[in-house]
Amino acid sequence: MKSITRIAAALALTFGLTLSAIAAQAASISGEVKKIDESAGKVTLKHGPAKSLGMDEPMTMVYRVKDPAMLKQVKVGDKVTFEAEEAASGYTVTKIEKAK
C-alpha cells in the first residue's frame, strides 16, 4: 500500500511540474529587438502573437522594462524570448533573454 501511495505522489508531482512548464512556455513571447532606449527604460520589440497579453496578432510595440539592467543583456537585432505583464502604466517586460 505504501508503494502505491509513493507512486501516486510521484505522478502528482510530475504532472504538476509538467503543467508549470507548459504555463511558462505559454507566457513566453518570441520576438526581435528593434530599438533600445536605456535612458527611458524602454525597448521596442517586434513579436508574434502574445497570448498571455491577449494579443492574437504579430506587432511591434514599445515596452517598459521592470529592471533597466535587462537592457544590457540584449542589443538591436537580437532574437529574444520575453515575458511581459499589463500594468496601469502600460506593458512591462518582466524577463528577457536571447533566443536559443
Side-chain angles (χ1 to χ4, degrees), residues 3-48:
S3 61
I4 291 174
T5 304
R6 286 184 191 157
I7 291 172
L11 287 173
L13 179 61
T14 302
F15 184 70
L17 292 175
T18 302
L19 286 179
S20 295
I22 290 170
Q25 282 181 332
S28 290
I29 305 162
S30 297
E32 179 183 349
V33 178
K34 297 307 249 177
K35 183 179 176 184
I36 297 172
D37 185 345
E38 285 189 54
S39 62
K42 296 180 180 180
V43 61
T44 302
L45 297 166
K46 178 180 179 182
H47 59 80

Side-chain angles (χ1 to χ4, degrees), residues 23-78:
Q25 282 181 332
S28 290
I29 305 162
S30 297
E32 179 183 349
V33 178
K34 297 307 249 177
K35 183 179 176 184
I36 297 172
D37 185 345
E38 285 189 54
S39 62
K42 296 180 180 180
V43 61
T44 302
L45 297 166
K46 178 180 179 182
H47 59 80
K51 302 290 185 186
S52 62
L53 300 174
M55 299 174 192
D56 295 329
E57 300 294 323
M59 62 186 71
T60 301
M61 287 182 56
V62 177
Y63 291 87
R64 296 182 191 283
V65 291
K66 188 172 187 173
D67 179 4
M70 289 191 289
L71 297 176
K72 302 236 185 254
Q73 300 173 18
V74 295
K75 64 184 185 308
V76 172
D78 281 350

